[in-house]
Amino acid sequence: MLISLRGESRGGRQVADSEHIEILRRGPRAWNAWRQDNPSHIPNLDDAALSLSQRQLGPINGGPINLRSASMQWAFLWSANLSAGDLEAADLSGANLAYARLDRANLKAANLKGAILDYADFNGAVLIDANLSRASLQHAQNLTQAQINDSTCDAATILPAHLENPTSRLEVVKQARTGELIQGAFISKIM
């Protein structure tokens, strides 16, 4: 029997591999065991929609979960418990992670472009090189300026009011430098 490890294509996008979804539905222990037995497979969980109980993948439920390098584009992970999970280099672009517990999660180099992260808890999460372009982080909990500075944001990234978007700071620096160059050129022309 041949089991496909890639999802089918729908409108040019991959859809989740049903085998991968079924393994994930069995819980973090079954998932982590499968990942250990299949280290070269890149899980495809695109468009995954798990029940609330199936989204509880943190240490208290047998985790932390290993979702390293998994493709989870447009996945519905609202209120998921991914505490201490390994999501390094995972593709979560467009995913709904509102109210998710991402405390102590490894999101290094994760693609969170366009993800909904409103009210998510980022206490102790690693966001080094995470792509937060066009992501919504309104009312995110325990998110620090240092975490934001370690990540990549753009002008469309929505941050909590107490945090500053590094891209807006870069624009101010660019404008100041441009102004200095113009002013310096003007002064040298006068002299």
Side-chain angles (χ1 to χ4, degrees):
M1 180 168 115
L2 182 64
I3 298 175
S4 170
L5 293 174
R6 298 196 80 113
E8 298 172 25
S9 180
R10 183 189 306 153
R13 278 191 24 226
Q14 292 287 332
V15 294
D17 186 299
S18 59
E19 178 189 8
H20 296 169
I21 293 290
E22 288 310 312
I23 296 166
L24 187 59
R25 285 188 171 138
R26 288 187 232 144
R29 285 188 185 102
W31 177 262
N32 289 341
W34 179 81
R35 288 298 306 262
Q36 191 168 9
D37 292 344
N38 298 280
S40 63
H41 293 280
I42 297 174
N44 183 346
L45 302 166
D46 292 348
D47 295 305
L50 305 173
S51 71
L52 183 58
S53 64
Q54 293 167 341
R55 294 189 301 259
Q56 305 313 304
L57 305 168
I60 200 163
N61 300 95
I65 191 82
N66 176 359
L67 292 167
R68 179 182 284 250
S69 300
S71 182
M72 297 181 287
Q73 295 179 43
W74 302 100
F76 183 76
L77 297 166
W78 182 85
S79 203
N81 183 342
L82 297 165
S83 296
D86 186 359
L87 292 105
E88 183 171 336
D91 187 351
L92 291 150
S93 55
N96 184 339
L97 289 147
Y99 296 94
R101 289 204 47 202
L102 296 166
D103 53 297
R104 302 179 327 279
N106 177 10
L107 292 158
K108 183 177 181 180
N111 183 3
L112 295 156
K113 187 175 185 176
I116 300 169
L117 297 154
D118 302 336
Y119 296 95
D121 183 359
F122 287 93
N123 188 29
V126 176
L127 291 170
I128 297 169
D129 297 324
N131 183 352
L132 296 171
S133 300
R134 294 191 339 251
S136 178
L137 294 121
Q138 292 184 78
H139 310 290
Q141 305 298 305
N142 302 306
L143 184 62
T144 67
Q145 188 65 51
Q147 287 169 310
I148 292 301
N149 293 345
D150 285 344
S151 65
T152 301
C153 298
D154 65 7
T157 304
I158 302 169
L159 296 173
H162 70 282
L163 298 177
E164 184 179 327
N165 190 326
T167 58
S168 61
R169 205 170 340 140
L170 287 174
E171 280 302 312
V172 170
V173 170
K174 279 187 209 173
Q175 289 173 358
R177 285 187 181 155
T178 303
E180 289 171 10
L181 291 173
I182 292 170
Q183 184 179 19
F186 179 73
I187 290 171
S188 56
K189 282 186 179 183
I190 294 174
M191 298 182 157

